[in-house]
Amino acid sequence: MRSGRDPCAFSRMDLFTRKKVQPTEPILIPHGELTFLTKQEILMAHKIFSELQDRENGPYSSRVSMEKIHTLPELKSNPFRKRICHVFSTSDMKDGSLSFEDFLDLLSAFSDSATLEIKSHYAFRIFDFDDDGTLDARDLEKLVNSLTGETDDTRLTGEEMRQLISNILEESDIDKDGTVNLSEFQHVISRSPDFVSSFKIVL
Amino acid sequence: MELKEFNNQVHPTPDYPSPYSSQHSLRLRTVPAQDTSAVQCDWASPPEDAEDSNEPQNLRELPLHMSLKRAVWQVQQMKVPVVSSSWNIKQSKTFHRFCEVAKYILSYFVLWKRGIQRIGGHFGGGVQSYFLFLRFLVILNFLSCLLIAAFVLIPSIVFRSMSFNSTITLTVNLTDIETCLQYDPKPDPLMVFFTYFLDLVSGTGFMEYSYLFYGYYNNSVIESNGFSYNIPLAYLLTAAFYFLFCLICMIIRMGGTARLVIVTGGGAVGGYSMLVFTGWDHGLQGDRATKLKQNNLRHRLQVDLEEERLKKKAASLTLGQTVSLYALRVFLNLVVLILIGATLYGIAEATQFSQSRKTTGFVGLLLQYLPSMVITASNFVVPLLCDKISLLEKYSPSTTVILALLRAVFLRLVSLGVLLYTLWEQITCKGEINSENCTPCNYYHDQYKCWETRVGQEMYKLTLFDFLITIATLILVEFPRRIVVDHCSCKLTQWVGRQEFLVAPNVLALVYSQTVVWTGALFCPLLPFINTIKFIFFYYCKKITLFQNCQPATRNFRSTTSNLFFLLVLLFGWMLSSVVLLYSVAKINPSYGCGPFRFYTAMWEVVPGAVEMLSSTNKEFLFYIGSQKFSIPLFIFSCVLLCYVSALTSVHGKSVALLKSQCKLEQRDKQFLVRQIEELNATMQKLQHEPQQPQRETEPFYHAATQWNQHNNYAFDPHEDPKPY
């Protein structure tokens, strides 16, 4: 539907008016209505995205690879950066590469004004390491390891991990099927006052 | 059949559609462009709103990829809008846009927004909450000094400079109290620089007779050209409104925090899952901050798990062990109380000593600052000792931290209280107005010719000393420590390590400063202004030391519960200072020689006098409000409101529990239905099992699905090949 479009076209058009450049050119949508970002933030995102594209070899490719995205200072040390790229990527090759619109989706979900529902939805997908729609014990174990550090001396011991995972499932698994699904996750998140302010990336 | 497959098949939409499959389905669905209802139903979106005004919000809130959102938007644009409510829609759209623009503009005016964001990114939420608290206090002090300046300071300056004739009615017999009127603080115009500096720092000399202190203000009532301004009344009412204003600000700020704490149940329930799901702060930048956060989280998890293990162990202690543990705790609490008592006695003695001596020069300055020095030293030493003692008490780690904080708070505020009590004792001769020293004037006239100014000076000195000590600690302790730790690699320095930015003691220091300001505001009207400048300095100095010298603490309070705790402590400080205000306004005789309340028997007397001069309807109205006829119904009404709100809370709690059990029941129903379908499937397969006819394995399922409860479901055409959606 919109693959292969030159993202540099954005810089030639006003993002906020529907302007038909050529008869065959698709109509541009006001991104301001489809994301939680302000105009300034979208323009800043476009600037940063173009810089990332410039560093890639070859002509303007419409996607930026995951490694390039990981060079951004906001994501460089985030232990969930790989999962974040995979969740927001619409690439056919499932390599985590992001187009500009995926990048906007990412920033919108992590922005100041995004709602709790959006943030909890994407947080759930980020934590779902095996993409099966629920958080089972393996997902939780990988999640805890990401939180505490991946090296051997920073992980919890096996005993502690078992105790922790059984406590988590006892607290949040309401229907007792051994996994945490989206609504149970959102139920836990809704009681946390810190979540909205901590699930934030500002460029 | 596995439950997961069942989930994916029975619900028409997966939880999050992958872009590939949905794009195919989108092509199929957008062919009839007018039929948009199918498009809108098929995404797992929040409750659908038919009104077009909510469209932008709805689209943003869909957890879909941009391409899908754009497709929905395009489809919605093609939809013919409902004619009747188009004006309403336009109005609400413009209103929404106006709100967004207003929010964007207002965000420019937020003080230090970028700096505090950067602090939060590098050091986490706990340290950020300290700076947010500091910003709140700066704004509070600034607004209050505007209030005081507008109603007290500027009129005084104007009237003094224009030397209006003031009309005061003296109804007091002046002959008995001639000695009380002696007060001559006019400074010596020829001053040595050293004396100048001493006076600046201790509030005496040229500083004493200035707008800084109570003694300079006149008890003038200006009336000219139909304009009348009663300075004493303005002074008193401004002080009262200042206190009310601070109380309202604190309550508003506490309201939001308290609501969150109650909703989340104080964080006790769901602690582990909350920590794991919401613990990561995505705003952190840099490897160092990430590693520290990871250490922090691991530490918290390990501590919580250990606490749980300890609790299980403690529940299994024998009787003898429990008794000995409690005896130890009681003994250690006694030790702590004795320690605090000794400190308070020391403060009282130091205050008396410094008030009774009158030496000049540098020794005199030291003597004047003696109470402040004792208070600061005790506030530094005693919490350290309490920390060491609490290690012996074998509480769980979180209880230990809370207990240590409570003891530190108690010590700080009570030491201030002791200082004030000692001053009161001296000024009013221990409350006996008829004793020898206090006879003609009802206060100790020889030493305290203008006692309000003296109290104001004490508060001024406390504020200044606090400021000096903080700056001195920064320069003389933290910077050298960092230099030593960075350049000297012996084991001792590595063990001591860099300075940790401990949030709780810093916040308590802020609460203490603010309480001092509140206590002194009646006697030293410019104190909020001085405090604003002091706190602004604090912000920049603490920020510099944070980034240059400190590492984040490994153990942190949860930021929101501690926010509420700090506001509660601030409220407690406010109550202490309001007690001081009420007592000095109502009971103690104002000085005869200075200030706007001379010749009144109490400061409060100004108000009845002013009320007498009002017109009769206003007077009656005010009397009615103050009478029992009004206040008792008001009290009853607020009790009723309180009961209603608490009933609402309990009802909501019950409905939450009900919904939770409903959730469990639904899951059991689902499992029951899955089992039924499996059995049905097996039965069907057995009945229709014939080797010649090639039957799809899934057909019996479709057949069963179409024949659900004897109704035919025509969405499924059983003779059509099932498409690979």
Side-chain angles (χ1 to χ4, degrees), chain B residues 344-359:
Chain B
L344 298 177
Y345 180 70
I347 293 172
E349 283 297 307
T351 314
Q352 274 182 352
F353 186 73
S354 97
Q355 292 286 323
S356 56
R357 298 298 169 90
K358 275 204 177 302
T359 47

Side-chain angles (χ1 to χ4, degrees), chain B residues 422-437:
Chain B
T422 321
L423 278 176
W424 170 81
E425 260 189 358
Q426 301 238 311
I427 292 173
T428 58
C429 316
K430 298 190 191 347
E432 293 164 37
I433 311 178
N434 299 321
S435 81
E436 185 200 314
N437 285 329

Side-chain angles (χ1 to χ4, degrees), chain B residues 28 224 352 543:
Chain B
L28 290 172
S224 78
Q352 274 182 352
K543 196 167 125 186

